[in-house]
């Protein structure tokens, strides 16, 4: 049932919600038309006034990011980041599956605001269906004259392309995404130059998350005040949260920012699975520090409140962990994930991620020692902040939060060479 | 270009604008350790060894190789945070590095060894060799190269050299994480004419020279600066030798001429300093070359030259030094003989370093007003020929030289009446003028072999022998 605050998800659940006809029925593309009647600078200002913050994880104000594009005569590009690789994140997928036209309309608005001549939607390679839906929506938009030459008769030309990734997590990092888009190996670039100075194909480029772009039609159509009606002072609007783990109804939920975490778990997700006790929550994707159950008390789902609790809102990928889950094997899954996904460019990350995976691997096998825990923390500390991109920090994050917060459990596992938990393995595929 | 004021470790300096922190620091004598940074390659910024503390700036450390200096910048290259980061990077690099220094050719000139001693000195925290990632070793990557990907620190210097300098992308890094390794395309060899530059560029022992493999330890070698005589570029080189024996040549940095590079042909031409040398004077007797003493050989040469009279022609190699050419010119003036310069057929050329002119000093010799080519020598001339290493074949129209001053048992030496053993470029001092007109002088690196003397010395003794009235 659509709630009043359903901005991004308003069409979800309607029959053929991904089709142009459905989207037009709900007032689609009116915002894009309105935007093209505005000065580009006013479009950026409106988005900035609405307080929309980047939904990919960093939370940087989207409207401000747009103003970083240089005012010269080089062609400018928008890259839409639909790589969505963070474990636990699956919100952009549903935007692309259920309402791709909202994304296309957002692209028109963003490109007009930045005076970009082309947009590339970089979609995670595994997202076959969402990519097809986005491509179909783009084709429909071209057929209607909403894309291509002379959009809405305003003399503005915009082309939109989809590009499928090849499976690397690191390509969700904006400069790695640009390299991959150009056909190079997906490795982050050193900055400066930042993408607005030299991005895709050496031209000024802005990379925005799907959800950030999809939120702009509402903001343009209804004005910044309507958007700021939801959320908190510093975290305006609504956000998609993808909840996975031990809840009764995992899935994507759009709620206003600032909603209490417990309300999201208990009301929207139907409470804990099998009514088990909450053990911990990873609030914003696998790289964000874990919060123990008691740390989740009173935490609201907005950037500031989660930061105050010592973690990050990230991409809104909340992983709920119930009592009885082994944190040692859970950490092992995460260290192996980051070792697998380190691009291998910077020394600390290349060697550190693999090393941490080796150590957690031997702990899980019962061959670890208590000293290994301090070694893990030391490796994680040595990696943090010393690399080109934040993957090293992402890999270090779980280690640095799991071990101190569940030290007893780790030590018990090491001493007894096995887990006392009823669910020793968090996922089936690893032994 | 203006200057900016920066502070490095509390000391104020005024440096050129636009430089990177690493370059600016190096220029004022502050060394910042690095693997991936190389002055003649594009910046990569991946090794993380050059992390320094820069204020104002982000709270985390910044890489000195990619950060440009700015006015008022305060740089700390030695504080606790920087040292900790360096130790961490060293530990990560050594985590999977095989400790095979005893059999590694790079030992002694290895960045990992040097930096370990200078910045790390911590003991290993891995549980023995079983924790090291295994990769390919002793891979014959090309005619002149061995590749050991276990030793590799993945700084990508070699990849960038192939891609951005010689523009022949034969190398890539495959795989991710700690399984990443340098590789060639399947079934291919690294066959680039500048491929051996990788052995200089590689900061560790991943790329080693097949030619130098297991020949000498680097610390036993004496390095003498010299100039490569293989083409008109005049690349600056180091001649690395021990006990009179040359073991290798390497490019020596010269920003204006060859930067840090040289071609494989020039690099491997040092073999001619060793192989097939003429060590004693020889005189033709009953159709055979017979070893003799200097005095007899000089007398025989003087006799031949006197007998030639006006038919005498002096042909000098285009790779002779200015000093040698001048001595030859003086002798020619004294004898009234005409001088010719022998250049030979042009060789290969590219748009990087190599020049088609395979002589080191044609421009310099032409500057001495010796411009006629050897092909202009008359058919009935009696030729005094001054040869150098790796000679170009003489023109067929030219009569076989009667007297040859040569460092090696060449074709010309085989047919001569008298051949006199001469020193090569590595054994004399001299000056080459490259094709751009740059004069480059060099000193001898090693002693001439056997009884060989320098061209200048032989010419002066020859002149004395010619003056000797006893010679008929």
């Amino acid at each position: 049932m659509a709630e009043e605050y359903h901005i991004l998800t308003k069409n979800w659940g309607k029959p053929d919600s991904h089709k142009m006809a459905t989207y037009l029925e709900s007032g689609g593309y009116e915002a894009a038309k309105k935007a093209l009647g505005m000065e580009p600078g006013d479009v950026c200002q409106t988005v900035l006034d609405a307080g929309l913050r980047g939904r990919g994880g960093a939370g940087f104000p989207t409207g401000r990011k747009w103003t970083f594009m240089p005012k010269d005569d080089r062609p400018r590009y928008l890259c839409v980041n639909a790589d969505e690789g963070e474990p636990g994140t699956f919100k952009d997928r549903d935007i692309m599956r259920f309402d791709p036209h909202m994304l296309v309309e957002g692209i028109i608005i963003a490109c007009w605001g930045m005076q970009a001549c082309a947009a590339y939607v970089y979609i995670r390679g595994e997202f076959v269906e969402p990519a097809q839906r986005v491509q179909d929506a783009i084709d429909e938009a071209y057929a209607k004259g909403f894309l291509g030459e002379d959009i809405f008769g305003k003399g503005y030309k915009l082309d939109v392309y989809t590009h499928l990734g090849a499976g690397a997590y690191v390509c969700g990092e904006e400069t790695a995404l640009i390299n991959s888009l150009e056909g190079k190996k997906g490795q982050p670039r050193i900055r400066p130059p930042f993408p607005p100075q030299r991005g895709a194909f050496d031209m000024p480029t802005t990379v925005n998350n799907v959800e950030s772009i999809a939120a702009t039609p509402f903001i343009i159509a209804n004005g910044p005040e309507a958007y700021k009606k939801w959320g908190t002072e510093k975290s305006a609007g609504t956000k998609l949260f993808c909840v996975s783990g031990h809840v009764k109804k995992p899935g994507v939920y759009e709620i206003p920012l600032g909603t209490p975490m417990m309300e999201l778990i208990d009301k929207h997700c139907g409470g804990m699975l099998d009514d088990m006790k909450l053990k911990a929550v990873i609030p914003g994707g696998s790289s964000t520090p874990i919060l123990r159950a008691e740390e989740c008390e009173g935490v609201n789902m907005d950037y500031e409140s989660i930061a105050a609790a010592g973690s990050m809102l990230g991409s809104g990928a909340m992983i709920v962990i119930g009592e009885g889950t082994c944190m040692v094997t859970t950490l092992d899954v995460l260290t192996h994930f980051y070792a697998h996904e380190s691009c291998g460019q910077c020394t600390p990350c290349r060697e550190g991620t693999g090393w941490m995976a080796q150590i957690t691997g031997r702990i899980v096998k019962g061959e670890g020692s208590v000293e290994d825990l301090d070694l893990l923390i030391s490796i994680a500390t040595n990696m943090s902040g010393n690399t080109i991109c934040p993957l090293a920090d992402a890999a270090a994050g779980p280690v640095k939060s799991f071990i101190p917060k569940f030290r007893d459990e780790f030590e018990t596992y090491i001493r007894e060479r096995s887990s006392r938990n009823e669910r020793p393995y968090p996922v089936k595929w690893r032994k | 270009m203006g200057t900016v004021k920066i502070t490095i470790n509390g000391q104020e300096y005024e440096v050129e604008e636009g430089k990177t922190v690493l370059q600016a620091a190096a220029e004022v004598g502050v060394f910042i350790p690095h693997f991936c940074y190389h002055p003649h390659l594009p910046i990569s910024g991946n090794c993380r060894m050059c992390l320094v503390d820069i204020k104002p700036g982000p709270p985390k450390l910044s890489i000195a190789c990619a950060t440009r200096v700015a006015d008022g910048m305060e740089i700390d290259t030695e504080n606790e945070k920087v040292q900790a980061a360096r130790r961490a990077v060293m530990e990560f690099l050594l985590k999977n590095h095989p400790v095979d220094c005893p059999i590694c050719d790079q030992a002694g000139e290895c960045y990992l060894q040097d930096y370990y001693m200078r910045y790390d000195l911590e003991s290993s925290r891995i549980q023995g060799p079983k924790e090291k990632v295994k990769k390919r070793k002793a891979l014959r990557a090309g005619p002149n190269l061995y590749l050991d990907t276990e030793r590799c620190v993945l700084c990508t210097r070699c990849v960038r050299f192939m891609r951005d300098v010689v523009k022949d992308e034969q190398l890539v890094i495959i795989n991710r994480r700690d399984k990443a390794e340098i590789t060639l395309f399947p079934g291919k060899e690294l066959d680039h004419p500048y491929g051996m530059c990788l052995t200089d560029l590689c900061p560790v022992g991943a790329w080693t020279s097949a030619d130098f493999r297991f020949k000498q330890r680097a610390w036993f070698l004496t390095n003498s600066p010299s100039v490569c005589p293989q083409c008109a570029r005049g690349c600056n080189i180091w001649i690395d030798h021990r006990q009179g024996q040359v073991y290798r040549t390497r490019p020596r940095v010269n920003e204006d001429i060859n930067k840090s590079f040289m071609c494989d042909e020039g690099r491997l031409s040092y073999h001619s300093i060793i192989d097939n040398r003429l060590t004693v004077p020889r005189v033709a007797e009953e159709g055979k070359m017979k070893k003799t003493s200097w005095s007899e050989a000089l007398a025989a040469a003087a006799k031949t030259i006197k007998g030639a009279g006006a038919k005498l022609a002096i042909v000098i190699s285009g790779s002779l030094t200015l000093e040698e050419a001048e001595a030859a010119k003086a002798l020619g003036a004294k004898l009234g003989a005409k001088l010719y310069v022998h250049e030979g057929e042009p060789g290969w050329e590219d748009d990087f370093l190599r020049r088609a002119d395979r002589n080191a000093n044609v421009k310099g010799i032409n500057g001495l007003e010796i411009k006629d080519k050897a092909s202009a020598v008359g058919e009935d001339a009696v030729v005094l020929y001054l040869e150098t290493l790796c000679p170009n074949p003489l023109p067929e129209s030219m009569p076989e030289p009667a007297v040859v001053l040569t460092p090696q048992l060449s074709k010309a030496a085989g047919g001569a009446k008298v051949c006199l053993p001469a020193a090569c470029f590595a054994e004399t001092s001299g000056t080459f003028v490259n094709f751009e007109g740059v004069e480059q002088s060099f000193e001898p690196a090693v002693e001439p072999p056997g009884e060989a003397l320098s061209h200048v010395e032989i010419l002066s003794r020859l002149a004395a022998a010619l003056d000797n009235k006893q010679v008929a």
Side-chain angles (χ1 to χ4, degrees):
Chain A
M1 197 56 220
E3 301 281 348
E4 197 193 348
Y5 54 74
H6 281 178
I7 294 170
L8 298 157
T9 55
K10 63 176 179 181
N11 293 327
W12 295 15
K14 289 183 189 170
D16 283 339
S17 66
H18 58 284
K19 294 274 173 67
M20 176 68 95
T22 318
Y23 191 62
L24 286 176
E25 258 172 44
S26 65
Y29 288 101
E30 288 305 317
K33 260 180 220 161
K34 185 180 170 191
L36 262 65
M38 294 160 72
E39 284 296 313
D42 294 342
V43 171
C44 298
Q45 192 58 46
T46 307
V47 173
L48 182 60
D49 290 343
L52 174 64
R53 293 172 66 169
R55 300 297 192 222
F60 192 82
T62 305
R64 170 138 315 126
K65 200 172 189 180
W66 292 359
T67 61
F68 291 157
M69 291 290 261
K71 304 275 178 285
D72 53 24
D73 53 6
R74 290 182 291 169
R76 288 169 224 165
Y77 303 126
L78 168 71
C79 286
V80 181
N81 188 345
D83 195 47
E84 196 159 63
E86 180 90 351
T89 315
F90 44 87
K91 63 190 178 61
D92 297 340
R93 181 185 65 170
D94 285 356
I95 294 176
M96 292 186 284
R97 276 162 84 199
F98 301 136
D99 208 351
H101 281 288
M102 189 177 272
L103 173 64
V104 174
E105 186 176 12
I107 289 171
I108 300 170
I109 293 164
C111 287
W112 174 256
M114 290 181 279
Q115 290 293 293
C117 64
Y120 298 90
V121 188
Y122 186 97
I123 306 173
R124 178 186 166 118
E126 293 90 331
F127 283 179
V128 177
E129 187 202 16
Q132 192 55 53
R133 292 233 165 135
V134 172
Q135 188 58 54
D136 290 346
I138 290 168
D139 294 344
E140 280 185 313
Y142 267 107
K144 281 267 182 195
F146 297 165
L147 289 175
E149 308 277 345
D150 197 18
I151 299 170
F152 304 130
K154 307 267 186 194
Y156 177 57
K157 179 178 180 295
L158 174 67
D159 287 310
V160 181
Y161 308 90
T162 54
H163 182 97
L164 279 176
Y169 165 69
V170 75
C171 289
E173 196 278 343
E174 59 178 6
T175 55
L177 182 150
I178 288 168
N179 266 349
S180 173
L181 179 68
E182 291 180 4
K184 297 173 183 158
K185 191 171 181 180
Q187 290 186 324
R189 298 176 178 175
I190 43 171
R191 279 159 288 194
F194 290 87
Q197 282 110 44
R198 267 177 56 194
F201 314 103
D202 275 355
M203 294 302 154
T205 304
T206 291
V207 184
N208 282 133
N209 177 257
V210 168
E211 192 187 340
S212 318
I213 295 290
T216 57
F218 176 88
I219 294 168
I220 295 297
N222 302 289
E225 292 311 318
Y227 190 70
K228 280 197 324 206
K229 194 176 143 195
W230 309 110
T232 67
E233 193 193 335
K234 285 182 175 167
S235 303
T238 64
K239 163 126 190 59
L240 297 182
F241 288 95
C242 10
V243 187
S244 58
H246 300 130
V247 289
K248 288 204 174 84
K249 292 193 291 176
V252 181
Y253 296 94
E254 180 175 20
I255 53 168
L257 283 159
T259 305
M261 184 189 280
M262 287 309 153
E263 188 184 318
L264 177 59
I265 294 174
D266 295 334
K267 185 178 148 202
H268 298 274
C269 302
M272 296 297 291
L273 189 68
D274 301 337
D275 294 320
M276 63 176 80
K277 246 182 93 202
L278 180 69
K279 182 170 187 179
V281 171
I282 303 176
S286 65
S287 61
T288 56
I290 196 166
L291 299 176
R292 296 176 64 117
E294 61 267 28
E295 291 173 298
C296 299
E297 296 295 329
V299 169
N300 298 330
M301 299 306 282
D302 61 67
Y303 296 96
E304 287 69 33
S305 176
I306 294 190
S311 189
M312 289 187 303
L313 184 73
S315 57
M318 192 162 98
I319 303 170
V320 180
I321 298 168
E323 203 62 68
T325 309
C326 176
M327 301 316 284
V328 181
T329 45
T330 305
L331 179 64
D332 186 47
V333 169
L334 291 179
T335 54
H336 275 83
F337 171 78
Y338 286 106
H340 185 256
E341 295 298 344
S342 167
C343 84
Q345 190 177 203
C346 303
T347 308
C349 176
R350 179 182 68 232
E351 309 294 347
T353 51
W355 194 3
M356 292 198 307
Q358 258 177 2
I359 296 169
T360 57
R362 75 170 174 245
I363 291 174
V364 166
K365 274 203 272 175
E367 295 164 6
S369 63
V370 178
E371 291 74 42
D372 283 342
L373 299 178
D374 298 321
L375 179 57
L376 276 170
I377 298 276
S378 163
I379 297 168
T381 310
N382 284 346
M383 285 163 62
S384 304
N386 287 345
T387 51
I388 291 174
C389 85
L391 198 146
D393 303 73
V399 170
K400 287 203 281 190
S401 64
F402 272 62
I403 294 177
K405 289 185 182 178
F406 299 95
R407 181 121 192 159
D408 287 349
E409 192 178 330
F410 276 87
E411 288 185 1
T412 308
Y413 192 111
I414 289 167
R415 211 169 40 244
E416 300 179 359
R417 297 174 192 279
S418 66
S419 180
R420 279 189 184 180
N421 289 290
E422 58 195 84
R423 282 186 304 282
Y425 302 115
V427 277
K428 287 186 185 117
W429 51 267
R430 269 194 60 79
K431 286 204 254 335
Chain B
M1 199 59 102
T3 57
V4 292
K5 278 204 177 72
I6 58 167
T7 312
I8 303 177
N9 301 337
Q11 175 90 33
E12 232 183 74
Y13 299 99
E14 198 164 325
V15 298
E16 225 173 282
E17 204 181 348
K19 296 250 161 168
T20 63
V21 170
L22 196 148
Q23 287 169 328
E27 277 170 25
V28 299
V30 178
F31 179 75
I32 298 172
H34 55 269
F35 290 93
C36 70
Y37 168 79
H38 187 280
H40 303 125
L41 294 176
I43 298 208
S44 170
N46 64 45
C47 76
R48 317 309 287 178
M49 190 65 191
C50 69
L51 285 166
V52 291
D53 207 348
I54 297 177
K55 289 192 177 62
K60 56 184 196 174
L61 302 175
S62 309
I63 44 173
C65 71
T67 312
R68 308 265 161 197
V69 289
D71 215 19
M73 209 177 234
E74 286 177 32
I75 300 149
D76 199 326
T77 70
E78 294 301 329
N79 68 21
E80 188 43 53
K81 206 170 152 192
V82 174
Q83 288 185 15
R86 267 178 205 161
R87 280 196 300 272
V89 171
M90 285 305 297
E91 177 174 46
F92 286 130
L93 284 173
L94 293 168
K95 154 81 188 14
N96 290 316
H97 187 81
V99 187
D100 56 1
C101 308
I103 54 152
C104 178
D105 274 332
Q106 191 78 9
E109 45 192 10
C110 173
Y111 286 37
L112 272 177
Q113 286 182 332
D114 294 351
Y115 293 168
Y116 178 77
M117 297 308 289
R118 187 162 168 186
Y119 303 108
D120 191 4
L121 287 176
E122 298 284 336
S123 36
S124 173
R125 293 194 287 176
I126 68 163
Q127 297 187 343
K130 68 175 196 303
E131 284 202 356
K132 296 206 184 241
V133 176
K134 299 283 180 290
K135 292 180 192 173
R136 292 170 303 164
K137 293 188 79 69
L139 182 77
R140 188 70 185 246
N144 302 317
L145 290 168
Y146 276 94
L147 173 61
D148 187 316
T149 58
E150 264 184 15
R151 292 177 189 159
C152 176
V153 293
L154 292 156
C155 67
T156 71
R157 279 187 183 189
C158 54
V159 177
R160 283 174 284 147
F161 173 75
M162 295 306 290
R163 183 182 64 210
D164 301 313
V165 179
V166 296
K167 304 200 166 42
D168 183 7
E169 229 172 323
Q170 298 191 14
L171 293 175
V172 286
I173 292 180
I174 51 159
N175 297 341
R176 297 189 301 214
R177 60 178 290 189
D178 46 13
K179 293 187 169 65
E181 61 182 317
I182 303 281
T183 192
L184 293 136
F185 288 94
K188 299 277 188 206
E189 280 201 324
L190 201 146
D191 55 358
H192 196 270
Y194 293 87
M196 290 180 83
C197 288
L198 304 185
T199 64
D200 314 314
L201 292 170
C202 186
V204 295
W207 288 104
T208 49
S209 153
D211 180 68
F212 183 65
R213 193 170 170 81
F214 303 145
K215 293 268 168 63
Q216 272 297 322
R217 305 297 340 203
W219 54 86
F220 289 136
L221 295 170
T222 307
N223 320 122
S224 302
S226 190
V227 176
C228 176
Q230 284 295 306
C231 83
R233 175 72 61 176
C235 291
N236 291 208
I237 58 169
W238 289 108
I239 298 178
D240 292 351
H241 54 93
R242 184 190 181 195
Q243 293 170 345
Q245 168 98 347
V246 177
Y247 284 96
R248 64 175 180 186
T249 48
R250 289 177 295 137
R252 180 163 53 94
V253 177
N254 185 323
E255 293 291 338
D256 301 322
I257 293 177
N258 58 319
K259 301 216 158 59
S260 316
F261 313 116
M262 73 186 292
C263 68
D264 289 4
E265 193 178 325
R267 186 190 300 257
L268 293 173
S269 71
Y270 82 88
H271 281 288
S272 66
I273 302 174
I274 307 157
D275 302 338
N276 209 25
R277 290 293 298 268
L278 183 66
T279 52
V280 286
R282 297 190 188 201
V283 177
E285 215 167 77
E286 292 160 4
K288 279 187 178 170
M289 294 302 283
K290 204 182 130 220
K291 290 181 184 174
T292 181
S293 68
W294 267 110
S295 55
E296 275 180 37
L298 284 167
K303 190 175 164 189
T304 311
I305 288 167
K306 276 194 178 165
K311 282 185 188 166
L312 182 69
I314 301 175
V315 177
I316 64 171
S317 156
S319 293
L320 233 44
T321 64
L322 275 184
E323 292 77 357
E324 290 159 348
E326 268 169 5
K329 194 181 171 188
L331 184 75
K334 179 178 161 128
L335 297 172
K338 192 157 182 221
L339 277 94
Y340 301 85
V341 57
H342 172 49
E343 296 177 25
E345 295 296 314
W348 59 283
E349 186 172 273
D350 57 29
D351 54 5
F352 183 34
L353 294 176
R354 186 76 190 191
R355 302 293 302 170
D357 179 1
R358 289 191 286 168
N359 301 286
N361 199 23
V362 169
K363 185 140 185 153
I365 291 170
N366 287 346
L368 298 172
E369 296 304 319
I370 305 171
K371 287 181 178 168
D372 291 313
K373 301 234 157 75
S375 51
V377 175
E379 280 179 22
D380 58 345
V382 175
V383 176
L384 168 63
Y385 178 36
L386 277 64
E387 199 174 58
T388 50
L389 288 177
C390 309
N392 299 315
L394 289 163
E396 284 179 13
S397 63
M398 202 183 104
E400 213 161 52
V403 180
V404 179
L405 278 61
T406 179
Q408 63 193 166
L409 291 162
S410 60
K411 189 163 173 284
K417 286 181 183 157
V418 183
C419 38
L420 304 170
C424 72
F425 78 101
E427 296 143 7
T428 54
S429 59
T431 307
F432 290 146
V433 180
N434 85 346
F435 76 106
E436 295 161 312
V438 180
E439 278 191 27
Q440 304 193 90
S441 296
F442 51 90
E443 292 297 315
V446 288
E447 293 286 317
E451 295 176 24
L453 298 168
S454 73
H455 280 281
V456 177
E457 176 68 21
I458 299 172
L459 289 176
S460 107
R461 292 193 186 191
L462 189 57
L466 285 165
D467 288 340
N468 192 336
K469 296 283 184 293
Q470 286 175 343
V471 179

